[in-house]
Amino acid sequence: MTPVHAPGFPEQAVRARARAGVAAVFPAEHLYGSTMFGATPPDRPGLDVLDRMRLVPPVFMPQRLEKLIDLAREPMHGDVDLDTRIGGFRSALPVYVSAFGSTQVAQADLGIAVSRQAGRLGIPLVIGENVVPIDGYGRDDTVRKSLVGRIRAYTEAVADGVGGVTVQQSTEDADAEVWNQLYSDPATQPLLSTGRLALELKVGQGAKPGLGGMTLLDADRAARVADRYAVEDLSGRGNRLRCSSPGTFTEEILRHQIRLMRNNYPQARVWLKLPPARDVQAAAITAWAAGADAVTVDGAEGGTGWAPTSFLDHVGLPLAECLYRIGPQPSCLLVSGRMWEGTRAAKSLSLGARAVGLGRAALLAADEDPAAGLIRLVDCLALELRLIISALGKYATAALDAEDVWWPSPGVHPGGDRPDPNPDPGG
């Protein structure tokens, strides 16, 4: 099988963590005693605003004193509680696996490996759109890359009372009645009966806001789905571009869709995935008011299996701007976009997110080691979160606050003026 690659993403760092586990959080051991370490220059290529922010511990830590009194000893990073409620699910960590659907990268063994390891970790798994129209529903146990194949791999590994599976639906999935099949399928009843099944309405994604899903298919497969998708021959060399419809939404349509989901599938959780749109706050608030258990916002840094290259660099708001526009909310906000380690996750949590999603990082880690690569990667992220949250004088993810983050622009502070969207990297 061809190895997976992610240009522009810290692929080698992710693979190193998938191999070495928590040792990779620190410098290489052989350097101890002979090397002096310091910060990397802040203007290195590839950093976005969220990366350039810094986490800022205080001197005075009243919450640490409270924890000391509670424990009758000095608290350490191991005392930080990472248990989190994510969209109605109990998760062992403020982390979930982001949606990846029918793209070839996630098919067959890699998608199954990610599902199984997410289950072992006790974190939620999102299965993306278009799996059924492209790979099949999978009532036949031999169809491993199917929708049910991924769900079974997860449920066989997850412990009781934690985690959950969220299944996206797009316009084309609605034609296949995916949610109707799932809701009545014996394979999903263990999840449904324990409140661990969610349905996610996909409005858009970070890598291509305003567009639907895109994949390449060979001529035969493209012909089989041409009645449901827009199909184009771009190269004349056999492969076809298959385009999903992004759907059409107004505030009233979105409210109606969420209410319909709650009415038709009362035992399932309801999630909504938004692109990094300019009205992202209004859309999120509309969804929560209509009854959504979680809103996922995919920043413009989010990955994809296929998209116009111009969209990757020039369309959509950065995740930091999405977090700023949405602001602190009492409801469950989930975010994704270039997540792979603890500092970016901690900044997102401080700015209002409940949990962060691993997409490309999850696939790369599982590609590096299908048995435990994702587990080791998440172990690294969990250790970093505990170290960071403890350093901030706090002992639960919910205690993180905008005061814990410094925006890299002079004169800007939490609750103050709007951050400069193009700050001087030197601050």
Side-chain angles (χ1 to χ4, degrees):
M1 185 175 176
T2 304
V4 174
H5 295 293
F9 194 76
E11 176 181 341
Q12 295 311 312
V14 170
R15 290 185 179 278
R17 290 178 171 220
R19 291 191 304 271
V22 294
V25 170
F26 299 92
E29 287 186 18
H30 72 273
L31 300 176
Y32 184 74
S34 63
T35 305
M36 304 296 287
F37 300 98
T40 305
D43 58 349
R44 63 189 187 274
L47 296 187
D48 62 11
V49 174
L50 197 58
D51 283 333
R52 292 198 295 267
M53 293 177 186
R54 295 186 69 89
L55 293 152
V56 283
V59 171
F60 302 122
M61 299 182 176
Q63 291 185 45
R64 179 172 289 181
L65 178 60
E66 292 174 10
K67 194 70 173 178
L68 182 153
I69 294 169
D70 181 50
L71 296 173
R73 62 169 173 80
E74 284 284 349
M76 297 294 291
H77 66 269
D79 298 311
V80 173
D81 182 10
L82 297 182
D83 196 271
T84 306
R85 295 292 298 181
I86 300 178
F89 303 150
R90 180 191 161 210
S91 178
L93 302 163
V95 177
Y96 63 98
V97 174
S98 294
F100 36 85
S102 60
T103 181
Q104 188 171 346
V105 171
Q107 288 179 349
D109 293 340
L110 197 54
I112 294 295
V114 169
S115 300
R116 186 174 293 116
Q117 291 182 61
R120 288 174 59 190
L121 286 162
I123 62 176
L125 169 74
V126 183
I127 301 176
E129 63 172 336
N130 295 330
V131 174
V132 171
I134 301 301
D135 295 327
Y137 184 79
R139 293 188 187 279
D140 182 349
D141 289 346
T142 63
V143 186
R144 299 183 64 224
K145 66 183 180 182
S146 67
L147 176 62
V148 172
R150 296 191 202 182
I151 292 174
R152 284 203 175 107
Y154 183 90
T155 55
E156 289 167 1
V158 72
D160 291 341
V162 296
V165 173
T166 299
V167 179
Q168 271 188 358
Q169 182 162 293
S170 67
T171 303
E172 287 79 13
D173 287 335
D175 294 336
E177 296 189 339
V178 174
W179 289 345
N180 288 341
Q181 294 182 72
L182 277 174
Y183 201 71
S184 59
D185 194 323
T188 63
Q189 290 310 300
L191 293 173
L192 189 63
S193 63
T194 56
R196 293 185 292 167
L197 180 68
L199 309 176
E200 181 173 73
L201 176 63
K202 180 182 177 183
V203 174
Q205 69 180 94
K208 41 183 180 279
L211 301 178
M214 294 181 173
T215 58
L216 290 181
L217 303 176
D218 60 42
D220 289 341
R221 294 182 76 196
R224 290 199 296 270
V225 300
D227 61 329
R228 286 169 287 160
Y229 296 92
V231 176
E232 298 184 44
D233 185 355
L234 300 181
S235 65
R237 292 193 292 270
N239 283 334
R240 305 289 192 271
L241 175 67
R242 185 233 66 189
C243 301
S244 299
S245 166
T248 301
F249 292 92
T250 64
E251 288 187 28
E252 185 53 41
I253 290 174
L254 182 58
R255 279 194 292 268
H256 176 72
Q257 289 271 26
I258 293 172
R259 289 168 181 164
L260 192 66
M261 292 166 68
R262 297 207 67 88
N263 181 71
N264 290 355
Y265 312 105
Q267 287 184 270
R269 307 294 185 179
V270 173
W271 290 24
L272 177 78
K273 182 168 185 177
L274 295 175
R278 65 189 187 214
D279 54 355
V280 64
Q281 184 199 54
I285 290 174
T286 298
W288 286 319
D293 295 287
V295 170
T296 299
V297 174
D298 201 15
E301 303 89 345
T304 183
W306 202 252
T309 54
S310 57
F311 269 65
L312 302 177
D313 295 329
H314 299 287
V315 181
L317 293 174
L319 181 55
E321 178 67 13
C322 291
L323 285 162
Y324 177 81
R325 292 193 182 198
I326 294 171
Q329 301 289 341
S331 302
C332 182
L333 173 66
L334 311 177
V335 299
S336 54
R338 204 176 171 80
M339 296 293 170
W340 67 280
E341 49 78 47
T343 60
R344 189 174 176 88
K347 294 169 191 176
S348 298
L349 298 175
S350 297
L351 295 173
R354 182 80 57 84
V356 300
L358 302 178
R360 283 169 291 179
L363 287 167
L364 288 167
D367 185 60
E368 185 67 26
D369 182 349
L374 176 58
I375 291 171
R376 295 193 193 101
L377 175 70
V378 173
D379 284 346
C380 290
L381 193 155
L383 174 59
E384 286 174 322
L385 280 176
R386 286 192 168 96
L387 290 167
I388 291 164
I389 296 170
S390 174
L392 293 166
K394 299 176 179 181
Y395 293 89
T397 56
L400 292 173
D401 188 89
E403 68 179 359
D404 298 318
V405 178
W406 170 79
W407 290 78
S409 182
V412 172
H413 55 83
D417 296 330
R418 179 185 180 81
D420 181 354
N422 299 295
D424 176 359

